[in-house]
Amino acid sequence: MEHLENMTDEQLAMSYVEGNNRAFDILLSRNQSKLFSYIMFVVRDHEKANDVFQETFIKVITKLQEGKYVPSGKFAAWLMRIAHNIIIDSYRTEKAEQIIDTNEDNDLTILGNKLLDANIEDIFINEQVLCDVKKMMNMLPDNQREVIFMRFFQQMSFKEIAETTNVSINTSLGRMRYAVLNLRRMVKDNNIALDIY
């Protein structure tokens, strides 16, 4: 049998279905950070994000044990889709209209982690650009913010985004197109220079 660490997520899922609990531990460790950051980005509340995260993995375990997982697509996309559906269901229960809270505290500091070493002036300019991008993203409609986050911060394909949000690929592409057009309009209207050094 292939060593667990070398298996794909899909192979690990099937190994867990066959009774290997260690396979699930590896699946969890590989996917927890990306999944939690997505959930936190959407719900904007640490306690609620923890609840959704735990409920997601409970559902994953249940679905795996019931044989409801077919390794025809990426495990990570299947996982994100389950989390997305739990979030939607929780908002329906609360009768809220928005999925993403676009308040001033919205934190996109994950962008900041990718800045290159630079001098003090460049760092200041980069921080200002990131602040401007954050403000503009807060002004986008919820579904456009979500697709931008999934595409650029989670590196998901449009197919994965479509599967996760239960829309067609064309709808995902359309949301991205409108998000980019809206961001360009905001940059132009506000004379913002978005050059990162």
Side-chain angles (χ1 to χ4, degrees):
M1 174 186 269
E2 189 176 0
H3 191 264
L4 289 177
E5 296 290 339
N6 297 328
M7 289 183 173
T8 65
D9 285 356
E10 296 73 26
Q11 291 170 328
L12 287 169
M14 297 314 293
S15 181
Y16 173 70
V17 169
E18 294 167 1
N20 188 337
N21 289 335
R22 176 77 181 116
F24 187 80
D25 294 340
I26 295 170
L27 270 177
L28 176 62
S29 68
R30 282 187 190 173
N31 290 283
Q32 64 186 358
S33 177
K34 183 176 179 178
L35 179 67
F36 188 81
S37 65
Y38 165 70
I39 294 168
M40 187 64 189
F41 179 80
V42 176
V43 301
R44 303 304 311 148
D45 177 271
H46 200 272
E47 189 173 318
K48 183 167 184 158
N50 277 325
D51 291 344
V52 171
F53 180 82
Q54 290 174 12
E55 189 176 344
T56 299
F57 272 98
I58 289 169
K59 274 202 173 173
V60 166
I61 290 168
T62 303
K63 287 180 180 288
L64 286 171
Q65 290 174 345
E66 292 173 349
K68 293 184 177 176
Y69 173 71
V70 179
S72 57
K74 281 195 171 182
F75 179 82
W78 182 70
L79 186 66
M80 299 271 285
R81 184 169 57 249
I82 291 172
H84 176 81
N85 290 340
I86 290 169
I87 293 166
I88 296 292
D89 290 345
S90 73
Y91 279 106
R92 284 184 186 143
T93 302
E94 296 170 7
K95 296 184 179 172
E97 293 184 4
Q98 295 185 3
I99 294 172
I100 301 171
D101 181 10
T102 55
N103 61 29
E104 292 176 15
D105 298 325
N106 216 349
D107 185 10
L108 294 175
T109 54
I110 46 181
L111 277 173
N113 297 334
K114 296 187 178 180
L115 294 175
L116 300 172
D117 291 335
N119 64 40
I120 300 294
E121 183 180 353
D122 289 348
I123 291 170
F124 176 76
I125 291 169
N126 290 339
E127 287 175 357
Q128 183 60 50
V129 168
L130 296 175
C131 182
D132 291 340
V133 169
K134 175 183 165 184
K135 286 177 187 173
M136 289 187 300
M137 282 188 66
N138 286 338
M139 294 165 45
L140 290 174
D142 297 341
N143 57 11
Q144 292 175 20
R145 282 187 75 242
E146 186 176 37
V147 77
I148 282 184
F149 181 79
M150 289 177 169
R151 182 74 178 129
F152 293 110
F153 302 111
Q154 297 282 321
Q155 284 84 41
M156 293 173 69
S157 70
F158 283 106
K159 181 180 179 191
E160 292 169 332
I161 293 169
E163 290 171 355
T164 301
T165 57
N166 293 321
V167 298
S168 69
I169 292 177
N170 286 341
T171 300
S172 295
L173 289 167
R175 288 176 180 173
M176 176 61 77
R177 179 177 177 268
Y178 285 116
V180 170
L181 290 173
N182 283 332
L183 289 170
R184 284 182 181 158
R185 180 184 43 78
M186 286 183 244
V187 167
K188 184 178 178 185
D189 291 350
N190 296 295
N191 290 327
I192 298 171
L194 294 178
D195 294 326
I196 292 184
Y197 296 90

